[in-house]
Amino acid sequence: MKTIDELLRQGVDGKRVFVRADLNVPMDGTTITDDGRIRAVLPTIKALTGAGAKVVVASHLGRPKGAPDPAYTLRFAASRLGELLGRPVSFAGDTIGSEAHSAVGNLEDGQVAVLENLRFNAGETSKDDAERAEFAARLAALADVYVGDGFGAVHRKHASVYDLPRLLPGYAGYLIASEVAVLKRLTEDVQRPYAVVLGGAKVSDKLGVIDQLLEKADRILIGGGMAYTFLKAKGHEVGISLLQEDQVPVCLEYLARAEQKGVEFVLPVDVLVSSEFPDLKTKAPAHPTTVASTGIPADQEGLDIGPETRKLYASKLADAATVFWNGPMGVFEHPDYAQGTKAVAQALVDSKAFTVVGGGDSAAAVRILGFDEDAFGHISTGGGASLEYLEGKTLPGLAALED
């Protein structure tokens, strides 16, 4: 995989460089609630502009239906990018139309333009190769060189991720290069003990990575909504907690494999429960109850790991040499259910291990809960991409840069 450093050695002065970034930031109306993904692409953009390139930044945001939708505009992300760069950033109100061509055409050396949401064009996400290729060709007309730096999208076979780098000289930006280097440390030459913490809502989202980690990890700690399917598999009552009944047989199989291979598979011993889901808008007090995980009352829902589980998980992480964490332990957006996620984050901070926070909600939680990002070994920008890499899958965006 060629990197941006090779490109910079060749010189980019006056060249139009298309940077496929990941500006898919969480929004509350017009307010960006976590700008971590924007900040992650700054080193690449600063290096290019500093070398005199005309930088064209493109990204997706959310899941619009292949047509313009004001709810998913990148205008606010572009504005925030300009603030972080400390310089004006022009914004094109379309992706391949007159505004895009005008914005790019007016760039001077060292300046930046951001295109509107790529997914406003159906060609970006089309499963039809010809439709994607046509959109990629029109994007290619805006640039001379391609730099892939949107790690959060490299697991998608989309026009700007997979097809475009096949039409232009392609290089990996600093973010992608660093993400891949970190993931190799989790898969190829792992320092042990290797502990993995998995959370989030659905166990089905993590089955592939659990399957692979059973071959690599020394211990796996489970939290979040997915824990209740594992608890059900062990014969425990889970009340009205999130449950994927159809995944119980798979969970049973994984528990058996873990025992056979000597992988320590750790489930919550207590949980915080309530008869109703908390109000995440007002964050009104929820008054949860702590119960043993072996018998959640029929009218109660598990919403976070309990205090004994927090202590247990901290102890299981204390002696680890490598830790990978993906997925919150509970409904961390509400203060009454944030303590489990906070405890895991603190355990990583306190650890001497090489610690990796695997993107998505975990990365957001670290920032929302006030942790210093520098206290972790690495905070990934791509939850889904990280998981698929760990599953051993070929990621289209990386494959395109390696061709």
PDB file of all heavy atoms in Angstrom, residues 221 266-273 288-290 303-318 329 335-347:
ATOM      1  N   LEU A 221     -14.563 -10.362  27.496  1.00  0.00           N
ATOM      2  CA  LEU A 221     -15.527  -9.819  28.444  1.00  0.00           C
ATOM      3  C   LEU A 221     -16.713  -9.263  27.660  1.00  0.00           C
ATOM      4  O   LEU A 221     -16.516  -8.504  26.705  1.00  0.00           O
ATOM      5  CB  LEU A 221     -14.896  -8.701  29.276  1.00  0.00           C
ATOM      6  CG  LEU A 221     -13.903  -9.068  30.384  1.00  0.00           C
ATOM      7  CD1 LEU A 221     -12.719  -9.873  29.864  1.00  0.00           C
ATOM      8  CD2 LEU A 221     -13.392  -7.806  31.079  1.00  0.00           C
ATOM      9  N   VAL A 266     -16.156 -14.085  29.962  1.00  0.00           N
ATOM     10  CA  VAL A 266     -16.679 -13.475  31.182  1.00  0.00           C
ATOM     11  C   VAL A 266     -17.970 -12.714  30.892  1.00  0.00           C
ATOM     12  O   VAL A 266     -18.007 -11.839  30.015  1.00  0.00           O
ATOM     13  CB  VAL A 266     -15.644 -12.525  31.811  1.00  0.00           C
ATOM     14  CG1 VAL A 266     -16.096 -12.090  33.201  1.00  0.00           C
ATOM     15  CG2 VAL A 266     -14.267 -13.177  31.879  1.00  0.00           C
ATOM     16  N   LEU A 267     -19.021 -13.042  31.640  1.00  0.00           N
ATOM     17  CA  LEU A 267     -20.319 -12.374  31.517  1.00  0.00           C
ATOM     18  C   LEU A 267     -20.615 -11.582  32.787  1.00  0.00           C
ATOM     19  O   LEU A 267     -20.032 -11.857  33.848  1.00  0.00           O
ATOM     20  CB  LEU A 267     -21.421 -13.405  31.282  1.00  0.00           C
ATOM     21  CG  LEU A 267     -21.322 -14.227  29.990  1.00  0.00           C
ATOM     22  CD1 LEU A 267     -22.411 -15.289  29.958  1.00  0.00           C
ATOM     23  CD2 LEU A 267     -21.409 -13.323  28.774  1.00  0.00           C
ATOM     24  N   PRO A 268     -21.520 -10.613  32.714  1.00  0.00           N
ATOM     25  CA  PRO A 268     -21.862  -9.819  33.906  1.00  0.00           C
ATOM     26  C   PRO A 268     -22.383 -10.697  35.040  1.00  0.00           C
ATOM     27  O   PRO A 268     -23.107 -11.676  34.804  1.00  0.00           O
ATOM     28  CB  PRO A 268     -22.947  -8.864  33.396  1.00  0.00           C
ATOM     29  CG  PRO A 268     -22.721  -8.777  31.918  1.00  0.00           C
ATOM     30  CD  PRO A 268     -22.239 -10.133  31.514  1.00  0.00           C
ATOM     31  N   VAL A 269     -22.013 -10.319  36.275  1.00  0.00           N
ATOM     32  CA  VAL A 269     -22.556 -11.013  37.449  1.00  0.00           C
ATOM     33  C   VAL A 269     -23.690 -10.222  38.085  1.00  0.00           C
ATOM     34  O   VAL A 269     -24.484 -10.768  38.850  1.00  0.00           O
ATOM     35  CB  VAL A 269     -21.445 -11.281  38.493  1.00  0.00           C
ATOM     36  CG1 VAL A 269     -20.412 -12.234  37.921  1.00  0.00           C
ATOM     37  CG2 VAL A 269     -20.778  -9.982  38.950  1.00  0.00           C
ATOM     38  N   ASP A 270     -23.758  -8.929  37.780  1.00  0.00           N
ATOM     39  CA  ASP A 270     -24.902  -8.118  38.209  1.00  0.00           C
ATOM     40  C   ASP A 270     -25.148  -7.023  37.179  1.00  0.00           C
ATOM     41  O   ASP A 270     -24.257  -6.674  36.393  1.00  0.00           O
ATOM     42  CB  ASP A 270     -24.700  -7.528  39.619  1.00  0.00           C
ATOM     43  CG  ASP A 270     -23.508  -6.579  39.706  1.00  0.00           C
ATOM     44  OD1 ASP A 270     -22.670  -6.555  38.772  1.00  0.00           O
ATOM     45  OD2 ASP A 270     -23.393  -5.856  40.720  1.00  0.00           O
ATOM     46  N   VAL A 271     -26.376  -6.521  37.164  1.00  0.00           N
ATOM     47  CA  VAL A 271     -26.755  -5.517  36.171  1.00  0.00           C
ATOM     48  C   VAL A 271     -27.676  -4.480  36.799  1.00  0.00           C
ATOM     49  O   VAL A 271     -28.326  -4.745  37.824  1.00  0.00           O
ATOM     50  CB  VAL A 271     -27.466  -6.154  34.947  1.00  0.00           C
ATOM     51  CG1 VAL A 271     -26.520  -7.048  34.175  1.00  0.00           C
ATOM     52  CG2 VAL A 271     -28.697  -6.920  35.366  1.00  0.00           C
ATOM     53  N   LEU A 272     -27.708  -3.292  36.160  1.00  0.00           N
ATOM     54  CA  LEU A 272     -28.667  -2.264  36.557  1.00  0.00           C
ATOM     55  C   LEU A 272     -29.923  -2.435  35.714  1.00  0.00           C
ATOM     56  O   LEU A 272     -29.837  -2.536  34.486  1.00  0.00           O
ATOM     57  CB  LEU A 272     -28.094  -0.864  36.338  1.00  0.00           C
ATOM     58  CG  LEU A 272     -26.825  -0.496  37.119  1.00  0.00           C
ATOM     59  CD1 LEU A 272     -26.495   0.977  36.897  1.00  0.00           C
ATOM     60  CD2 LEU A 272     -26.984  -0.787  38.591  1.00  0.00           C
ATOM     61  N   VAL A 273     -31.088  -2.476  36.373  1.00  0.00           N
ATOM     62  CA  VAL A 273     -32.333  -2.717  35.652  1.00  0.00           C
ATOM     63  C   VAL A 273     -33.358  -1.630  35.950  1.00  0.00           C
ATOM     64  O   VAL A 273     -33.286  -0.929  36.953  1.00  0.00           O
ATOM     65  CB  VAL A 273     -32.938  -4.096  36.009  1.00  0.00           C
ATOM     66  CG1 VAL A 273     -31.992  -5.214  35.640  1.00  0.00           C
ATOM     67  CG2 VAL A 273     -33.300  -4.156  37.495  1.00  0.00           C
ATOM     68  N   PRO A 288     -32.317   3.350  38.814  1.00  0.00           N
ATOM     69  CA  PRO A 288     -32.224   1.926  38.518  1.00  0.00           C
ATOM     70  C   PRO A 288     -32.008   1.079  39.768  1.00  0.00           C
ATOM     71  O   PRO A 288     -31.604   1.585  40.817  1.00  0.00           O
ATOM     72  CB  PRO A 288     -30.998   1.843  37.606  1.00  0.00           C
ATOM     73  CG  PRO A 288     -30.149   3.005  38.043  1.00  0.00           C
ATOM     74  CD  PRO A 288     -31.113   4.088  38.381  1.00  0.00           C
ATOM     75  N   THR A 289     -32.274  -0.195  39.635  1.00  0.00           N
ATOM     76  CA  THR A 289     -32.059  -1.176  40.701  1.00  0.00           C
ATOM     77  C   THR A 289     -30.959  -2.137  40.263  1.00  0.00           C
ATOM     78  O   THR A 289     -30.865  -2.485  39.083  1.00  0.00           O
ATOM     79  CB  THR A 289     -33.350  -1.967  40.971  1.00  0.00           C
ATOM     80  OG1 THR A 289     -34.397  -1.065  41.313  1.00  0.00           O
ATOM     81  CG2 THR A 289     -33.147  -2.971  42.102  1.00  0.00           C
ATOM     82  N   THR A 290     -30.136  -2.561  41.206  1.00  0.00           N
ATOM     83  CA  THR A 290     -29.097  -3.543  40.904  1.00  0.00           C
ATOM     84  C   THR A 290     -29.594  -4.936  41.271  1.00  0.00           C
ATOM     85  O   THR A 290     -30.085  -5.161  42.383  1.00  0.00           O
ATOM     86  CB  THR A 290     -27.816  -3.239  41.700  1.00  0.00           C
ATOM     87  OG1 THR A 290     -27.364  -1.921  41.386  1.00  0.00           O
ATOM     88  CG2 THR A 290     -26.717  -4.235  41.349  1.00  0.00           C
ATOM     89  N   LEU A 303     -29.844  -2.480  31.704  1.00  0.00           N
ATOM     90  CA  LEU A 303     -29.408  -1.288  30.967  1.00  0.00           C
ATOM     91  C   LEU A 303     -27.953  -0.918  31.211  1.00  0.00           C
ATOM     92  O   LEU A 303     -27.437   0.001  30.573  1.00  0.00           O
ATOM     93  CB  LEU A 303     -30.315  -0.102  31.319  1.00  0.00           C
ATOM     94  CG  LEU A 303     -31.781  -0.280  30.905  1.00  0.00           C
ATOM     95  CD1 LEU A 303     -32.662   0.762  31.572  1.00  0.00           C
ATOM     96  CD2 LEU A 303     -31.919  -0.194  29.386  1.00  0.00           C
ATOM     97  N   ASP A 304     -27.271  -1.633  32.118  1.00  0.00           N
ATOM     98  CA  ASP A 304     -25.845  -1.393  32.348  1.00  0.00           C
ATOM     99  C   ASP A 304     -25.311  -2.531  33.212  1.00  0.00           C
ATOM    100  O   ASP A 304     -26.075  -3.215  33.903  1.00  0.00           O
ATOM    101  CB  ASP A 304     -25.621  -0.056  33.065  1.00  0.00           C
ATOM    102  CG  ASP A 304     -24.164   0.410  33.046  1.00  0.00           C
ATOM    103  OD1 ASP A 304     -23.367  -0.154  32.252  1.00  0.00           O
ATOM    104  OD2 ASP A 304     -23.826   1.328  33.809  1.00  0.00           O
ATOM    105  N   ILE A 305     -24.008  -2.739  33.168  1.00  0.00           N
ATOM    106  CA  ILE A 305     -23.418  -3.706  34.089  1.00  0.00           C
ATOM    107  C   ILE A 305     -23.397  -3.097  35.491  1.00  0.00           C
ATOM    108  O   ILE A 305     -23.317  -1.889  35.664  1.00  0.00           O
ATOM    109  CB  ILE A 305     -21.998  -4.119  33.654  1.00  0.00           C
ATOM    110  CG1 ILE A 305     -21.060  -2.905  33.541  1.00  0.00           C
ATOM    111  CG2 ILE A 305     -22.045  -4.884  32.338  1.00  0.00           C
ATOM    112  CD1 ILE A 305     -19.611  -3.273  33.271  1.00  0.00           C
ATOM    113  N   GLY A 306     -23.480  -3.966  36.515  1.00  0.00           N
ATOM    114  CA  GLY A 306     -23.551  -3.507  37.886  1.00  0.00           C
ATOM    115  C   GLY A 306     -22.196  -3.289  38.534  1.00  0.00           C
ATOM    116  O   GLY A 306     -21.145  -3.548  37.923  1.00  0.00           O
ATOM    117  N   PRO A 307     -22.174  -2.830  39.789  1.00  0.00           N
ATOM    118  CA  PRO A 307     -20.920  -2.490  40.475  1.00  0.00           C
ATOM    119  C   PRO A 307     -19.968  -3.675  40.649  1.00  0.00           C
ATOM    120  O   PRO A 307     -18.748  -3.516  40.543  1.00  0.00           O
ATOM    121  CB  PRO A 307     -21.385  -1.940  41.825  1.00  0.00           C
ATOM    122  CG  PRO A 307     -22.805  -2.394  41.985  1.00  0.00           C
ATOM    123  CD  PRO A 307     -23.357  -2.507  40.618  1.00  0.00           C
ATOM    124  N   GLU A 308     -20.496  -4.870  40.925  1.00  0.00           N
ATOM    125  CA  GLU A 308     -19.617  -6.032  41.073  1.00  0.00           C
ATOM    126  C   GLU A 308     -18.994  -6.429  39.741  1.00  0.00           C
ATOM    127  O   GLU A 308     -17.833  -6.855  39.686  1.00  0.00           O
ATOM    128  CB  GLU A 308     -20.388  -7.213  41.678  1.00  0.00           C
ATOM    129  CG  GLU A 308     -20.835  -6.987  43.118  1.00  0.00           C
ATOM    130  CD  GLU A 308     -19.657  -6.640  44.030  1.00  0.00           C
ATOM    131  OE1 GLU A 308     -18.607  -7.327  43.935  1.00  0.00           O
ATOM    132  OE2 GLU A 308     -19.777  -5.677  44.817  1.00  0.00           O
ATOM    133  N   THR A 309     -19.760  -6.285  38.678  1.00  0.00           N
ATOM    134  CA  THR A 309     -19.225  -6.584  37.341  1.00  0.00           C
ATOM    135  C   THR A 309     -18.151  -5.577  36.961  1.00  0.00           C
ATOM    136  O   THR A 309     -17.133  -5.940  36.352  1.00  0.00           O
ATOM    137  CB  THR A 309     -20.348  -6.588  36.296  1.00  0.00           C
ATOM    138  OG1 THR A 309     -21.364  -7.515  36.705  1.00  0.00           O
ATOM    139  CG2 THR A 309     -19.830  -6.997  34.932  1.00  0.00           C
ATOM    140  N   ARG A 310     -18.347  -4.326  37.328  1.00  0.00           N
ATOM    141  CA  ARG A 310     -17.316  -3.310  37.047  1.00  0.00           C
ATOM    142  C   ARG A 310     -16.000  -3.694  37.706  1.00  0.00           C
ATOM    143  O   ARG A 310     -14.934  -3.613  37.085  1.00  0.00           O
ATOM    144  CB  ARG A 310     -17.772  -1.942  37.556  1.00  0.00           C
ATOM    145  CG  ARG A 310     -18.952  -1.339  36.817  1.00  0.00           C
ATOM    146  CD  ARG A 310     -19.406  -0.062  37.504  1.00  0.00           C
ATOM    147  NE  ARG A 310     -20.853   0.038  37.537  1.00  0.00           N
ATOM    148  CZ  ARG A 310     -21.548   0.688  38.449  1.00  0.00           C
ATOM    149  NH1 ARG A 310     -20.923   1.317  39.444  1.00  0.00           N
ATOM    150  NH2 ARG A 310     -22.861   0.717  38.401  1.00  0.00           N
ATOM    151  N   LYS A 311     -16.061  -4.107  38.964  1.00  0.00           N
ATOM    152  CA  LYS A 311     -14.846  -4.518  39.673  1.00  0.00           C
ATOM    153  C   LYS A 311     -14.236  -5.757  39.021  1.00  0.00           C
ATOM    154  O   LYS A 311     -13.013  -5.855  38.842  1.00  0.00           O
ATOM    155  CB  LYS A 311     -15.173  -4.829  41.140  1.00  0.00           C
ATOM    156  CG  LYS A 311     -15.612  -3.631  41.960  1.00  0.00           C
ATOM    157  CD  LYS A 311     -16.003  -4.078  43.370  1.00  0.00           C
ATOM    158  CE  LYS A 311     -16.636  -2.961  44.170  1.00  0.00           C
ATOM    159  NZ  LYS A 311     -17.103  -3.432  45.496  1.00  0.00           N
ATOM    160  N   LEU A 312     -15.098  -6.713  38.664  1.00  0.00           N
ATOM    161  CA  LEU A 312     -14.631  -7.939  38.030  1.00  0.00           C
ATOM    162  C   LEU A 312     -13.913  -7.643  36.727  1.00  0.00           C
ATOM    163  O   LEU A 312     -12.804  -8.150  36.473  1.00  0.00           O
ATOM    164  CB  LEU A 312     -15.820  -8.867  37.786  1.00  0.00           C
ATOM    165  CG  LEU A 312     -15.536 -10.150  36.985  1.00  0.00           C
ATOM    166  CD1 LEU A 312     -14.590 -11.055  37.751  1.00  0.00           C
ATOM    167  CD2 LEU A 312     -16.849 -10.866  36.655  1.00  0.00           C
ATOM    168  N   TYR A 313     -14.527  -6.809  35.880  1.00  0.00           N
ATOM    169  CA  TYR A 313     -13.945  -6.514  34.581  1.00  0.00           C
ATOM    170  C   TYR A 313     -12.639  -5.742  34.732  1.00  0.00           C
ATOM    171  O   TYR A 313     -11.669  -5.978  33.991  1.00  0.00           O
ATOM    172  CB  TYR A 313     -14.943  -5.749  33.706  1.00  0.00           C
ATOM    173  CG  TYR A 313     -16.047  -6.634  33.120  1.00  0.00           C
ATOM    174  CD1 TYR A 313     -16.271  -7.911  33.632  1.00  0.00           C
ATOM    175  CD2 TYR A 313     -16.855  -6.194  32.087  1.00  0.00           C
ATOM    176  CE1 TYR A 313     -17.271  -8.721  33.115  1.00  0.00           C
ATOM    177  CE2 TYR A 313     -17.862  -6.999  31.558  1.00  0.00           C
ATOM    178  CZ  TYR A 313     -18.066  -8.266  32.078  1.00  0.00           C
ATOM    179  OH  TYR A 313     -19.051  -9.077  31.567  1.00  0.00           O
ATOM    180  N   ALA A 314     -12.583  -4.825  35.688  1.00  0.00           N
ATOM    181  CA  ALA A 314     -11.337  -4.082  35.929  1.00  0.00           C
ATOM    182  C   ALA A 314     -10.215  -5.041  36.318  1.00  0.00           C
ATOM    183  O   ALA A 314      -9.070  -4.902  35.865  1.00  0.00           O
ATOM    184  CB  ALA A 314     -11.547  -3.028  37.007  1.00  0.00           C
ATOM    185  N   SER A 315     -10.545  -6.046  37.131  1.00  0.00           N
ATOM    186  CA  SER A 315      -9.528  -7.016  37.553  1.00  0.00           C
ATOM    187  C   SER A 315      -9.068  -7.883  36.386  1.00  0.00           C
ATOM    188  O   SER A 315      -7.894  -8.270  36.310  1.00  0.00           O
ATOM    189  CB  SER A 315     -10.076  -7.898  38.680  1.00  0.00           C
ATOM    190  OG  SER A 315     -11.056  -8.812  38.209  1.00  0.00           O
ATOM    191  N   LYS A 316      -9.966  -8.180  35.457  1.00  0.00           N
ATOM    192  CA  LYS A 316      -9.621  -9.004  34.301  1.00  0.00           C
ATOM    193  C   LYS A 316      -8.774  -8.242  33.277  1.00  0.00           C
ATOM    194  O   LYS A 316      -8.136  -8.853  32.410  1.00  0.00           O
ATOM    195  CB  LYS A 316     -10.886  -9.524  33.613  1.00  0.00           C
ATOM    196  CG  LYS A 316     -11.746 -10.451  34.475  1.00  0.00           C
ATOM    197  CD  LYS A 316     -11.030 -11.739  34.800  1.00  0.00           C
ATOM    198  CE  LYS A 316     -11.928 -12.687  35.599  1.00  0.00           C
ATOM    199  NZ  LYS A 316     -11.206 -13.941  35.961  1.00  0.00           N
ATOM    200  N   LEU A 317      -8.779  -6.910  33.379  1.00  0.00           N
ATOM    201  CA  LEU A 317      -8.003  -6.092  32.451  1.00  0.00           C
ATOM    202  C   LEU A 317      -6.679  -5.628  33.052  1.00  0.00           C
ATOM    203  O   LEU A 317      -5.795  -5.172  32.333  1.00  0.00           O
ATOM    204  CB  LEU A 317      -8.828  -4.863  32.033  1.00  0.00           C
ATOM    205  CG  LEU A 317     -10.124  -5.161  31.269  1.00  0.00           C
ATOM    206  CD1 LEU A 317     -10.936  -3.890  31.081  1.00  0.00           C
ATOM    207  CD2 LEU A 317      -9.824  -5.803  29.918  1.00  0.00           C
ATOM    208  N   ALA A 318      -6.555  -5.764  34.362  1.00  0.00           N
ATOM    209  CA  ALA A 318      -5.411  -5.174  35.069  1.00  0.00           C
ATOM    210  C   ALA A 318      -4.068  -5.738  34.617  1.00  0.00           C
ATOM    211  O   ALA A 318      -3.073  -5.008  34.539  1.00  0.00           O
ATOM    212  CB  ALA A 318      -5.583  -5.366  36.575  1.00  0.00           C
ATOM    213  N   MET A 329     -20.907  -0.616  27.604  1.00  0.00           N
ATOM    214  CA  MET A 329     -21.420  -1.604  28.544  1.00  0.00           C
ATOM    215  C   MET A 329     -22.888  -1.388  28.882  1.00  0.00           C
ATOM    216  O   MET A 329     -23.531  -2.256  29.476  1.00  0.00           O
ATOM    217  CB  MET A 329     -20.608  -1.565  29.838  1.00  0.00           C
ATOM    218  CG  MET A 329     -19.143  -1.927  29.664  1.00  0.00           C
ATOM    219  SD  MET A 329     -18.881  -3.675  29.184  1.00  0.00           S
ATOM    220  CE  MET A 329     -18.678  -3.515  27.401  1.00  0.00           C
ATOM    221  N   PRO A 335     -26.657   9.458  32.386  1.00  0.00           N
ATOM    222  CA  PRO A 335     -25.686   9.372  33.502  1.00  0.00           C
ATOM    223  C   PRO A 335     -25.924   8.217  34.464  1.00  0.00           C
ATOM    224  O   PRO A 335     -24.975   7.694  35.057  1.00  0.00           O
ATOM    225  CB  PRO A 335     -25.828  10.727  34.199  1.00  0.00           C
ATOM    226  CG  PRO A 335     -27.129  11.303  33.727  1.00  0.00           C
ATOM    227  CD  PRO A 335     -27.326  10.769  32.350  1.00  0.00           C
ATOM    228  N   ASP A 336     -27.167   7.787  34.639  1.00  0.00           N
ATOM    229  CA  ASP A 336     -27.445   6.685  35.555  1.00  0.00           C
ATOM    230  C   ASP A 336     -27.011   5.328  35.012  1.00  0.00           C
ATOM    231  O   ASP A 336     -26.962   4.348  35.769  1.00  0.00           O
ATOM    232  CB  ASP A 336     -28.937   6.636  35.896  1.00  0.00           C
ATOM    233  CG  ASP A 336     -29.364   7.796  36.799  1.00  0.00           C
ATOM    234  OD1 ASP A 336     -28.476   8.401  37.426  1.00  0.00           O
ATOM    235  OD2 ASP A 336     -30.568   8.085  36.865  1.00  0.00           O
ATOM    236  N   TYR A 337     -26.702   5.279  33.707  1.00  0.00           N
ATOM    237  CA  TYR A 337     -26.296   4.010  33.098  1.00  0.00           C
ATOM    238  C   TYR A 337     -24.946   4.132  32.394  1.00  0.00           C
ATOM    239  O   TYR A 337     -24.624   3.326  31.512  1.00  0.00           O
ATOM    240  CB  TYR A 337     -27.360   3.537  32.110  1.00  0.00           C
ATOM    241  CG  TYR A 337     -28.713   3.330  32.762  1.00  0.00           C
ATOM    242  CD1 TYR A 337     -29.728   4.261  32.602  1.00  0.00           C
ATOM    243  CD2 TYR A 337     -28.956   2.215  33.557  1.00  0.00           C
ATOM    244  CE1 TYR A 337     -30.961   4.085  33.215  1.00  0.00           C
ATOM    245  CE2 TYR A 337     -30.187   2.023  34.175  1.00  0.00           C
ATOM    246  CZ  TYR A 337     -31.185   2.965  34.002  1.00  0.00           C
ATOM    247  OH  TYR A 337     -32.403   2.787  34.620  1.00  0.00           O
ATOM    248  N   ALA A 338     -24.156   5.106  32.802  1.00  0.00           N
ATOM    249  CA  ALA A 338     -22.853   5.342  32.175  1.00  0.00           C
ATOM    250  C   ALA A 338     -21.697   4.736  32.956  1.00  0.00           C
ATOM    251  O   ALA A 338     -20.568   4.678  32.460  1.00  0.00           O
ATOM    252  CB  ALA A 338     -22.625   6.850  32.012  1.00  0.00           C
ATOM    253  N   GLN A 339     -21.970   4.268  34.180  1.00  0.00           N
ATOM    254  CA  GLN A 339     -20.868   3.866  35.046  1.00  0.00           C
ATOM    255  C   GLN A 339     -20.139   2.612  34.549  1.00  0.00           C
ATOM    256  O   GLN A 339     -18.930   2.474  34.753  1.00  0.00           O
ATOM    257  CB  GLN A 339     -21.381   3.643  36.468  1.00  0.00           C
ATOM    258  CG  GLN A 339     -21.892   4.919  37.139  1.00  0.00           C
ATOM    259  CD  GLN A 339     -20.878   6.058  37.069  1.00  0.00           C
ATOM    260  OE1 GLN A 339     -19.731   5.893  37.476  1.00  0.00           O
ATOM    261  NE2 GLN A 339     -21.313   7.195  36.543  1.00  0.00           N
ATOM    262  N   GLY A 340     -20.850   1.699  33.920  1.00  0.00           N
ATOM    263  CA  GLY A 340     -20.189   0.508  33.401  1.00  0.00           C
ATOM    264  C   GLY A 340     -19.196   0.840  32.310  1.00  0.00           C
ATOM    265  O   GLY A 340     -18.048   0.372  32.312  1.00  0.00           O
ATOM    266  N   THR A 341     -19.630   1.658  31.353  1.00  0.00           N
ATOM    267  CA  THR A 341     -18.751   2.083  30.260  1.00  0.00           C
ATOM    268  C   THR A 341     -17.585   2.895  30.806  1.00  0.00           C
ATOM    269  O   THR A 341     -16.432   2.731  30.383  1.00  0.00           O
ATOM    270  CB  THR A 341     -19.558   2.902  29.234  1.00  0.00           C
ATOM    271  OG1 THR A 341     -20.641   2.098  28.749  1.00  0.00           O
ATOM    272  CG2 THR A 341     -18.690   3.349  28.074  1.00  0.00           C
ATOM    273  N   LYS A 342     -17.885   3.758  31.785  1.00  0.00           N
ATOM    274  CA  LYS A 342     -16.840   4.578  32.395  1.00  0.00           C
ATOM    275  C   LYS A 342     -15.812   3.704  33.111  1.00  0.00           C
ATOM    276  O   LYS A 342     -14.601   3.972  33.051  1.00  0.00           O
ATOM    277  CB  LYS A 342     -17.473   5.564  33.378  1.00  0.00           C
ATOM    278  CG  LYS A 342     -16.539   6.649  33.864  1.00  0.00           C
ATOM    279  CD  LYS A 342     -17.305   7.695  34.672  1.00  0.00           C
ATOM    280  CE  LYS A 342     -16.389   8.849  35.082  1.00  0.00           C
ATOM    281  NZ  LYS A 342     -17.148   9.896  35.817  1.00  0.00           N
ATOM    282  N   ALA A 343     -16.272   2.656  33.775  1.00  0.00           N
ATOM    283  CA  ALA A 343     -15.363   1.764  34.495  1.00  0.00           C
ATOM    284  C   ALA A 343     -14.413   1.042  33.550  1.00  0.00           C
ATOM    285  O   ALA A 343     -13.226   0.876  33.849  1.00  0.00           O
ATOM    286  CB  ALA A 343     -16.163   0.755  35.318  1.00  0.00           C
ATOM    287  N   VAL A 344     -14.923   0.587  32.402  1.00  0.00           N
ATOM    288  CA  VAL A 344     -14.071  -0.080  31.422  1.00  0.00           C
ATOM    289  C   VAL A 344     -13.047   0.897  30.863  1.00  0.00           C
ATOM    290  O   VAL A 344     -11.855   0.573  30.735  1.00  0.00           O
ATOM    291  CB  VAL A 344     -14.918  -0.693  30.291  1.00  0.00           C
ATOM    292  CG1 VAL A 344     -14.032  -1.127  29.123  1.00  0.00           C
ATOM    293  CG2 VAL A 344     -15.712  -1.886  30.812  1.00  0.00           C
ATOM    294  N   ALA A 345     -13.498   2.111  30.524  1.00  0.00           N
ATOM    295  CA  ALA A 345     -12.566   3.123  30.020  1.00  0.00           C
ATOM    296  C   ALA A 345     -11.481   3.414  31.044  1.00  0.00           C
ATOM    297  O   ALA A 345     -10.292   3.517  30.705  1.00  0.00           O
ATOM    298  CB  ALA A 345     -13.327   4.392  29.657  1.00  0.00           C
ATOM    299  N   GLN A 346     -11.869   3.548  32.314  1.00  0.00           N
ATOM    300  CA  GLN A 346     -10.891   3.835  33.365  1.00  0.00           C
ATOM    301  C   GLN A 346      -9.907   2.677  33.531  1.00  0.00           C
ATOM    302  O   GLN A 346      -8.709   2.891  33.759  1.00  0.00           O
ATOM    303  CB  GLN A 346     -11.608   4.101  34.693  1.00  0.00           C
ATOM    304  CG  GLN A 346     -10.683   4.594  35.805  1.00  0.00           C
ATOM    305  CD  GLN A 346     -10.044   5.928  35.477  1.00  0.00           C
ATOM    306  OE1 GLN A 346     -10.736   6.908  35.178  1.00  0.00           O
ATOM    307  NE2 GLN A 346      -8.718   5.978  35.499  1.00  0.00           N
ATOM    308  N   ALA A 347     -10.404   1.454  33.397  1.00  0.00           N
ATOM    309  CA  ALA A 347      -9.521   0.293  33.495  1.00  0.00           C
ATOM    310  C   ALA A 347      -8.475   0.289  32.390  1.00  0.00           C
ATOM    311  O   ALA A 347      -7.314  -0.075  32.610  1.00  0.00           O
ATOM    312  CB  ALA A 347     -10.346  -0.994  33.441  1.00  0.00           C
TER     313      ALA A 347
END
